[in-house]
Every structure is written in structure tokens, then in C-alpha cells.
Amino acid sequence: MSFWISLLNNVSVSFFGSILSVSFCDALDSRKKRCIFVCSMLFLPMLQGLVYFFWGADFMRQIYPLVVHLPLLFLLYALTGRLLWPFFSILTAYLCCQLRRWIALFAVAMLSGGTTMQNFIELVVTLPLLLFLLRYASPVVHQLSGYSAKMQCQFGAIPVLYYIFDYVTMVYTDLLSSGDPVVVEFMPFVCCAAYLVFLLYNSVKERTQNQLKQAQKSLGIQLNQAVREIDALRESQMLASQYRHDMRHHLQYVSACIQNGQEDQALSYITGICQEIDAQKVERYCENEAANLILSAFAGRAKKEGIQMKVNGSLPAFITVSDSDLCVLLSNALENALHACQSITAATKARIIDVQFYHKNDHLFLQVENPCEQKVLFENGIPVSHEPGHGIGVQSICAIVERYDGMCSFLIQDDHFILRLSL
């Protein structure tokens, strides 16, 4: 009886691993391929049963890779036209086979059973475990097949190591049962190393994602600024068109005033028209055009909110900081200052944003000061916010400062938030 249970268990584990392998590859996408796989699954267990019947279980274990794994690899190669991913799929399925083995070993240990009980329990749990893995694990593993060869190798490293370790220490030798500490502790070492690699990989990935978020934020700021500039230009163009259309009427009125000896009224009218035109142009704070556009845009937003913005400084037309980085620095700093002032009522505190900047010895110096009523949380000297969508601006500022090997500081002084940077 034990012989037939052992034989059925070996056949079932062959079906278990083969079905998982072909599922990880998603190789059965046509009727022809499904027929080929079914025929192969009838042939491989027959070959396995003959070897088991004539030469025994121990010999079958030793040549199992040649009887099952190698033909399965050739089969998957024929079905998919790929070699690397089917190789990793087979070894991953082999690793999953250890789940049924451990469940059986645990049950034997609890019930004080023997080899026959272990084979029987492995046989019983095969189908439920296979259905579970096909439902939850297979779709996730199959997605990795579309990744690069490098990613596939990273995924397959653990199954390959376990496969080699299992056959070297348990099938072809008895190193594991000998209790040699180097052998016993090898797989825990592999698990620890894999865990550390996982942490490092996720750390690098998270850093890359943060850089992408900062880049996206920077591009968003530049896009919004460009939209504001386009709107301002469109409005100026509309006003210019209107002034050109009305110019004939203005000239007729001025001419009539002069003809009637009303020179003062004509001058007053001309002065009023000039003031209206000057009010529409972008205010110049310095020679740098990018800084002018940004400062002018935020000054207009602040004025609409009833917030005063003082600007004092000078920047040449060309500086060491690129226009895109300057846009991100000024926009983030002024956006945060404007947001802080919006939460303050004018009756309790003067809402004034003080901006100071200058360029000297190829270095940019910038200071933005604004009143602040809300409590600011700091981590390592950098303000942080747990509100959705907040805190990315400060990260962008720090990233640019770090890229230029500059310095920046954030502090609260007399209920005022002060940003200082030099780069």
C-alpha cells in the first residue's frame, strides 16, 4: 500500500510542478498548445512511473531533473519560444512544491506519523494548494515575464539557489542531515541576504520615485507658470487690440480739446490713457526676465488675496542657476508663503511677504519671509507636512539646492517663517 501511495505522490508532484510552470509562463493560449501539453503530461508520468517501478524511489529522485525538469523545459521552450523565463518558472514551481512537503512534515511531527503518512498528506493537499497558487500567485508571477532579463534574473535567484542547495545537500549527498553548521545555516543566510537586497532595492526605487515626483512637480509648476504667462499675454493682446480700435476716438477727442483751447483737459486725458496702459505691463523687479515673470505673477495673486508682497533685490539677465530651476525655487517658496498668509485673517496680523534676493560672485542668494500662525513640524531642520499634496515643494527646493551644492535653512522667528538659500 505504501508503495502505491508513494508512487501516486511522485506523480502528483510532477503534475503539480508542471501545471504551475506552464501557468507561470502562460503558455496555453491556444488549443494546439493545450493539446500538446496534455499529451506531454500523459507521457512524463508514464516515464516517471516506469523508472520508479524498476529502479526505486531513490534512483528516481536522483535523475528527477533529467526525467521531468529537462523535458519540461524543452516543452515550454517549444510552446513559448523563450528559454530564460521557462527556466525560472520551473525552478519557482519546484520551490512552491516545498509548501506541500512542509505541511506534510508538520502534520507528521504533530501526529507522530511516518513516511506513509507524509506521502498521503502531500497527496491530499496537492489539489487545494495548486488551486490556491493558480488563483493568487500565478497572475503575479506571470507579470514578471514581461520584465527585462535583469529583473527576471533577480526574481529567479532564490529559486535557483534553493534548487541547487536541495539537490546537493539532500539528494546527492547527506550534508544537510549531517548537521554541518555551514550547510544548515546556508538558506537562512540566503534569506537574510535576499532581505537586505530587497531593502536596498526598495530604497533606491523609493529615491527614484521621489525624484520623479519632484520632477513632475517642477514640470507642473513650469506648466502653470507658462499658462499664467500665456493668459497675461492674451489679456495684454486683447487690451492692445482694444486700444488700437479706440485710438481713432482718443485722437479725435484730443484733437477737439486742442482746437477748443482745452490743452489741460487734453493732457489729463492723455495721462489717464498712459496710466491704463502702464498698469497692464509686467512690473520689472530686476534684469532677469524669468524672475520678473514669476514675481509679477505671484504679486498679482497676492494682491487679489489682499496680501502685500515686498520685493527687494537684483538679478542679472544671465545667472548660474537655470531658468527652470529658478522657476521651481521662486514658485515653491512664494506658493508656500502665499498659502501661509491665506490662513491668516488681516485683522489679527499684517499679511506681508518679504522677498529679498541678489546675485554675487556667481552665487544666488534668496530669502522669503512671511507671517505664520499654524504650527510647523520640522524633521532634521526641514519642515514637513502630512497633508495630501503638501511638502513636495520643500523637497523640490532641497533637491535643487543639493544639486548645486548649496545651502538652505528653514526657521521660525517671531511668528514668521523664513526661508534662506544660497547656491
Side-chain angles (χ1 to χ4, degrees):
M1 183 66 181
S2 60
F3 172 83
W4 294 106
I5 293 177
S6 178
L7 177 60
L8 288 175
N9 183 39
N10 279 272
V11 173
S12 68
V13 74
S14 176
F15 276 109
F16 181 89
S18 300
I19 294 173
L20 272 184
S21 299
V22 76
S23 176
F24 291 160
C25 292
D26 194 23
L28 305 180
D29 54 355
S30 68
R31 183 177 180 181
K32 179 180 178 181
K33 291 181 179 180
R34 288 192 290 269
C35 292
I36 293 174
F37 177 73
V38 171
C39 294
S40 301
M41 287 301 96
L42 294 176
F43 169 75
L44 289 178
M46 290 176 58
L47 177 61
Q48 184 180 351
L50 290 174
V51 174
Y52 187 90
F53 184 80
F54 287 105
W55 288 281
D58 292 337
F59 183 73
M60 180 62 210
R61 288 185 63 196
Q62 293 178 359
I63 67 168
Y64 196 88
L66 299 177
V67 175
V68 177
H69 295 155
L70 191 59
L72 184 60
L73 179 61
F74 290 147
L75 174 63
L76 293 179
Y77 174 72
L79 294 176
T80 63
R82 304 171 62 183
L83 189 61
L84 182 62
W85 182 248
F87 173 72
F88 288 137
S89 296
I90 293 171
L91 299 189
T92 303
Y94 180 83
L95 183 62
C96 292
C97 291
Q98 310 314 309
L99 295 173
R100 57 194 292 280
R101 180 195 295 180
W102 187 88
I103 293 173
L105 289 173
F106 178 78
V108 169
M110 295 298 295
L111 301 174
S112 301
T115 305
T116 303
M117 177 183 290
Q118 178 183 341
N119 290 328
F120 179 77
I121 295 176
E122 288 182 12
L123 189 61
V124 170
V125 301
T126 297
L127 183 58
L129 186 59
L130 176 62
L131 295 176
F132 176 82
L133 293 174
L134 290 175
R135 174 66 178 83
Y136 296 102
S138 181
V140 178
V141 176
H142 170 63
Q143 289 180 355
L144 297 172
S145 64
Y147 286 35
S148 63
K150 180 180 178 181
M151 286 293 297
Q152 293 179 21
C153 291
Q154 291 175 356
F155 168 79
I158 297 298
V160 170
L161 284 175
Y162 182 80
Y163 186 87
I164 296 173
F165 175 81
D166 195 40
Y167 272 91
V168 170
T169 61
M170 294 185 61
V171 178
Y172 300 130
T173 67
D174 59 350
L175 289 175
L176 188 60
S177 59
S178 67
D180 191 330
V182 175
V183 178
V184 173
E185 296 295 332
F186 177 74
M187 285 312 296
F189 161 76
V190 170
C191 292
C192 179
Y195 178 71
L196 293 176
V197 171
F198 171 79
L199 289 179
L200 294 174
Y201 173 77
N202 278 272
S203 176
V204 173
K205 188 175 181 180
E206 183 178 0
R207 192 181 306 116
T208 303
Q209 289 178 345
N210 288 335
Q211 292 174 353
L212 291 175
K213 287 181 180 179
Q214 292 172 5
Q216 185 180 14
K217 176 72 173 179
S218 301
L219 291 173
I221 291 174
Q222 295 177 44
L223 178 62
N224 292 334
Q225 186 62 31
V227 171
R228 295 191 190 102
E229 293 171 14
I230 291 173
D231 290 340
L233 290 173
R234 185 182 292 113
E235 184 177 353
S236 298
Q237 187 178 16
M238 292 176 61
L239 288 172
S241 300
Q242 181 180 349
Y243 287 136
R244 284 195 301 269
H245 179 268
D246 296 339
M247 185 61 66
R248 181 169 56 87
H249 303 292
H250 295 321
L251 293 175
Q252 289 177 349
Y253 180 80
V254 172
S255 177
C257 289
I258 294 174
Q259 290 175 0
N260 295 325
Q262 299 174 340
E263 288 83 359
D264 293 339
Q265 187 173 352
L267 289 174
S268 175
Y269 185 81
I270 293 173
T271 301
I273 296 298
C274 292
Q275 289 176 350
E276 290 183 15
I277 295 174
D278 289 338
Q280 303 303 323
K281 69 179 183 180
V282 176
E283 186 174 354
R284 295 190 63 83
Y285 298 95
C286 60
E287 297 178 7
N288 190 281
E289 196 63 32
N292 280 326
L293 290 172
I294 297 167
L295 292 170
S296 179
F298 276 94
R301 291 175 59 186
K303 186 176 181 180
K304 291 179 181 178
E305 297 284 344
I307 301 170
Q308 183 181 359
M309 192 170 111
K310 296 181 179 179
V311 180
N312 183 20
S314 63
L315 282 181
F318 302 99
I319 60 176
T320 54
V321 181
S322 67
D323 287 346
S324 60
D325 289 337
L326 181 62
C327 173
V328 174
L329 287 174
L330 283 174
S331 298
N332 278 305
L334 295 175
E335 187 76 43
N336 292 338
L338 195 63
H339 179 73
C341 290
Q342 287 173 344
S343 62
I344 300 174
T345 56
T348 59
K349 185 180 296 186
R351 302 192 298 176
I352 302 174
I353 301 175
D354 187 10
V355 183
Q356 300 181 34
F357 55 88
Y358 63 92
H359 192 263
K360 184 177 181 181
N361 297 329
D362 293 332
H363 285 80
L364 169 66
F365 299 87
L366 171 67
Q367 175 176 301
V368 179
E369 180 179 350
N370 59 270
C372 180
E373 284 187 347
Q374 297 181 350
K375 184 179 180 181
V376 180
L377 301 177
F378 287 85
E379 291 183 3
N380 299 322
I382 298 176
V384 295
S385 175
H386 300 292
E387 297 181 20
H390 293 273
I392 300 178
V394 173
Q395 296 177 12
S396 299
I397 292 174
C398 293
I400 293 175
V401 171
E402 183 179 358
R403 188 161 64 247
Y404 284 88
D405 293 327
M407 297 181 295
C408 66
S409 64
F410 307 86
L411 69 145
I412 300 292
Q413 183 176 340
D414 297 331
D415 293 332
H416 278 69
F417 182 86
I418 303 175
L419 161 66
R420 294 191 182 104
L421 63 87
S422 64
L423 45 99

